[in-house]
Amino acid sequence: MDTILDPNRPAAGGGAPADAIRDGDQSTFMQDVIEASQQTPILVDFWATWCGPCKQLTPTLEKVVRATGGRVKLVKIDIDKNQALVRQLAQMGLPLQSVPTVVAFWRGQIADLFQGALPESEVKKFAEALLKLAGGQTPAADLLGEAKAAVEAGDHAEALQLFGQLVQAEPENPEAFAGVARALMALDEEDQAQAVLAQVPAKIANHAEIASVRAALELAVQGREASAKLGEIERRVAADPDDHAARIELAVALNAAGDKDGAAEALMAAIRRDRDWNDQAARKQLLKFLESWGFADPASVAARRKLSTLLFS
């Protein structure tokens, strides 16, 4: 599991370009910052060798910038070696009395700044706000899009890597955790998927995405058991149409085989014949399917419509 959520894993698309982080000085400031910011948002890290907080902040800045994959660049300037530049910037109203000071440039202008060694989460927010100002998409949004595309393509190993990176970028993103768990399930690593769900922060533990994966995991276990005796279950249903326990097992087996519509119809048949059987067990099983499939899944939409018609007719 540690390899999946490795914070040192490169960002999607091969990571940041080689020139995303560089040391600057007063002779290159115009080119590296003012001119470069016409195309790409630039963070300038004003630091000093004697500054303890600078030593804490600079590695964080570098990590955040690398995670943007080149959408934001970082220029580091030692204020002691570039005092003429510091004086010039001070005359322009840029406060550099203390370090670290981080200044965001966009289109040749100062967009924002902060002073002091902020925690990584705050630095991420600062960089993302700069990206939004520049009209760019955040790296997390890109990762999510790439991960979903990998799922659509059936490349669950790639989806696992991308969702894992997204968990690192946004540790309270329920779609990221759910994506990791679903990818592991698709790769027949259900124990790993359970371990991932055990790591879900309490803040998002009851989110619909997380609940959906939990339901899917439970159904996967039931599905294997039912699939192993599918022939027997089908014979029971054929012999006794009112064997609702067998219909529910049939639905579970069909769902495990990927036949969502067939699974829903098996339960609908049981509900039509006796909706109150065993404390409405067929309806409750169908709701569990819908939860695991997700609200927007076409099979969920169709099944909800049929269930509504059946219950309120």
Side-chain angles (χ1 to χ4, degrees):
M1 183 62 201
D2 293 338
T3 58
I4 297 167
L5 305 183
D6 184 356
N8 296 315
R9 185 184 302 283
D19 66 344
I21 299 172
R22 64 172 57 197
D23 292 308
D25 58 35
Q26 52 206 30
S27 66
T28 63
F29 187 82
M30 182 62 68
Q31 177 183 342
D32 289 347
V33 178
I34 302 302
E35 293 177 4
S37 71
Q38 297 292 338
Q39 303 296 326
T40 305
I42 306 292
L43 294 181
V44 182
D45 175 20
F46 293 97
W47 65 282
T49 54
W50 45 264
C51 168
C54 296
K55 297 175 183 178
Q56 298 174 357
L57 178 63
T58 298
T60 300
L61 285 167
E62 292 176 349
K63 180 179 178 182
V64 169
V65 166
R66 288 193 185 98
T68 71
R71 293 174 179 82
V72 173
K73 295 184 178 181
L74 175 66
V75 177
K76 299 179 288 184
I77 294 180
D78 183 339
I79 62 168
D80 289 334
K81 294 181 178 179
N82 296 277
Q83 293 185 14
L85 175 62
V86 171
R87 287 194 295 270
Q88 183 180 359
L89 293 173
Q91 292 173 2
M92 297 169 56
L94 182 60
L96 292 174
Q97 294 91 342
S98 64
V99 287
T101 293
V102 176
V103 185
F105 285 82
W106 172 239
R107 300 295 194 197
Q109 303 293 322
I110 296 172
D112 202 356
L113 64 84
F114 70 83
Q115 293 181 310
L118 297 183
E120 183 178 338
S121 60
E122 294 301 313
V123 175
K124 285 180 180 177
K125 289 179 182 178
F126 186 84
E128 288 179 356
L130 179 59
L131 271 171
K132 290 177 181 178
L133 175 67
Q137 194 173 30
T138 65
D142 276 353
L143 277 174
L144 181 60
E146 290 181 43
K148 289 182 176 180
V151 172
E152 288 293 323
D155 190 348
H156 300 292
E158 176 68 9
L160 177 60
Q161 302 291 351
L162 293 167
F163 278 121
Q165 290 176 39
L166 185 55
V167 168
Q168 287 299 315
E170 296 188 348
E172 292 184 345
N173 186 324
E175 280 193 282
F177 272 100
V180 169
R182 287 190 185 278
L184 286 167
M185 289 176 62
L187 294 168
D188 295 324
E189 296 286 353
E190 289 177 13
D191 289 343
Q192 285 269 46
Q194 291 281 13
V196 168
L197 293 181
Q199 298 176 30
V200 171
K203 185 176 179 179
I204 61 171
N206 296 319
H207 190 279
E209 291 282 350
I210 304 302
S212 176
V213 178
R214 287 201 181 97
L217 271 169
E218 182 179 341
L219 288 169
V221 175
Q222 295 175 353
R224 279 197 303 276
E225 296 172 354
S227 297
K229 50 183 181 178
L230 179 58
E232 175 192 340
I233 295 169
E234 290 175 330
R235 287 191 292 272
R236 285 170 55 194
V237 172
D240 181 3
D242 287 325
D243 187 344
H244 302 308
R247 285 193 184 276
I248 292 174
E249 286 187 80
L250 176 61
V252 170
L254 291 172
N255 179 64
D259 185 0
K260 295 178 182 178
D261 292 335
E265 184 52 42
L267 294 174
M268 291 290 184
I271 296 170
R272 289 189 195 99
R273 300 183 77 87
D274 187 354
R275 72 177 63 179
D276 294 323
W277 179 82
N278 195 20
D279 194 24
Q280 300 190 5
R283 182 185 65 84
K284 291 177 180 178
Q285 184 67 55
L286 180 56
L287 294 180
K288 186 174 292 185
F289 283 166
L290 301 182
E291 182 179 46
S292 71
W293 298 343
F295 185 82
D297 189 287
S300 292
V301 174
R304 285 184 189 278
R305 186 182 302 114
K306 291 179 182 178
L307 182 62
S308 176
T309 300
L310 184 60
L311 294 181
F312 296 104
S313 59

